[in-house]
Amino acid sequence: MPQPSNPLASDRRGVMFVISSPSGAGKSALSRLLLQSDKDISLSVSVTTRPRRPSEVDGVHYHFLSVKAFEALRDRGDLLEWAEVHGNFYGTPRGPVELALAEGRDVLFDIDVQGTLQLYTKMRSDVVSVFILPPSIPELERRLRRRAEDTDAVIARRLKNAEGEIAHWGDYDYVLVNADIEKCFGELKQILAVERMKRHRQTQLGEEIARLNAELAAEAARLS
Ligand code: 5GP
């Protein structure tokens, strides 16, 4: 007998998986691990006016734009959200996200609190948000310095902004402390796994229920 299709394995709307944290809390490393280990999620590549770091590749980590080009995109309504963070503009291109969600693919967003709040107002039921906390502020500073790609002034600015960012922990669906990256990554994967199964994302459930009801009716008729 043919097996019924499993509605939990496919035919669902994609998750907008948002990860935010103060700079240095380990969000980028967690994002990288997730993207490497899970083929069903892809990164929303943001546009930014920040200068490219030596290790970054244009089109992979960000699309690096002039302020003028950024403003043109924004003013045309091509950004799903945008914000000024640490003195630079960042934004999420709309097209790739809308396409992925409609095709049932998940999208990972490495965006700040302001961007997360904008996504809530537009697409709250699609968004699952996770805030990553550092285990301590000295550890946060150590991680920022270890990256060794930013100047002292940039690091100082990012540390100064951490307080305001951490204050928004209560706006997120989940909060994780990244003391141990493996443990934190495991928790992140669990969140994504259960969120994928949420009823409102199972777009085929109506058909599954109709099929079960038809089978019930047929069985009732056979037994009467
Ligand atoms: P970084 O310069 O370290 O790559 O990123 C600085 C901050 O900007 C991080 O908190 C990052 O999450 C945030 N960010 C990156 N892309 C976007 C975006 O498209 N929108 C918003 N709102 N924030 C972003």
Side-chain angles (χ1 to χ4, degrees):
M1 235 177 104
Q3 294 297 305
S5 62
N6 174 5
L8 303 185
S10 62
D11 300 321
R12 61 176 178 83
R13 191 164 163 81
V15 176
M16 295 173 75
F17 201 45
V18 173
I19 307 185
S20 300
S21 75
S23 273
K27 173 186 46 174
S28 303
L30 288 164
S31 302
R32 206 165 39 243
L33 285 173
L34 191 60
L35 292 166
Q36 282 165 0
S37 71
D38 189 329
K39 63 174 179 26
D40 292 331
I41 193 163
S42 58
L43 180 70
S44 163
V45 180
S46 296
V47 290
T48 184
T49 61
R50 164 169 78 60
R52 188 176 64 78
R53 295 185 184 127
S55 65
E56 289 176 328
V57 178
D58 192 12
V60 174
H61 299 94
Y62 284 104
H63 300 287
F64 294 94
L65 299 182
S66 65
V67 172
K68 204 165 165 225
F70 182 97
E71 286 172 345
L73 273 186
R74 183 194 61 192
D75 297 346
R76 278 208 308 268
D78 287 345
L79 300 180
L80 212 46
E81 62 73 35
W82 68 275
E84 188 176 346
V85 190
H86 311 309
N88 297 297
F89 290 126
Y90 296 82
T92 300
R94 177 188 296 278
V97 176
E98 290 182 343
L99 183 68
L101 291 183
E103 291 178 350
R105 288 183 285 116
D106 304 318
V107 185
L108 177 65
F109 298 81
D110 172 343
I111 62 175
D112 84 325
V113 171
Q114 305 170 73
T116 307
L117 297 177
Q118 290 173 52
L119 293 187
Y120 284 171
T121 64
K122 292 181 180 158
M123 320 170 85
R124 185 63 184 96
S125 65
D126 287 321
V127 176
V128 176
S129 61
V130 184
F131 197 81
I132 310 287
L133 288 172
S136 70
I137 299 307
E139 175 60 17
L140 186 71
E141 184 168 358
R142 259 195 302 279
R143 289 178 188 175
L144 278 173
R145 294 200 182 282
R146 209 182 301 144
R147 180 154 75 193
E149 289 199 274
D150 293 321
T151 62
D152 280 354
V154 167
I155 290 173
R157 180 167 197 175
R158 286 174 178 239
L159 271 176
K160 193 161 160 279
N161 290 346
E163 185 182 355
E165 290 165 343
I166 290 173
H168 282 278
W169 64 273
D171 290 320
Y172 283 72
D173 297 324
Y174 300 88
V175 178
L176 300 177
V177 178
N178 182 18
D180 174 305
I181 185 123
E182 287 304 323
K183 178 168 176 284
C184 193
F185 179 50
E187 291 164 347
L188 201 64
K189 282 196 295 189
Q190 284 182 46
I191 293 169
L192 183 57
V194 294
E195 287 288 348
R196 282 173 167 161
M197 291 190 269
K198 280 265 176 80
R199 188 187 62 205
H200 75 271
R201 299 204 165 87
Q202 304 302 326
T203 48
Q204 293 299 101
L205 271 185
E207 281 175 32
E208 294 289 324
I209 300 299
R211 182 183 57 77
L212 289 176
N213 282 335
E215 286 176 7
L216 277 175
E219 194 60 7
R222 196 180 65 80
L223 293 176
S224 65

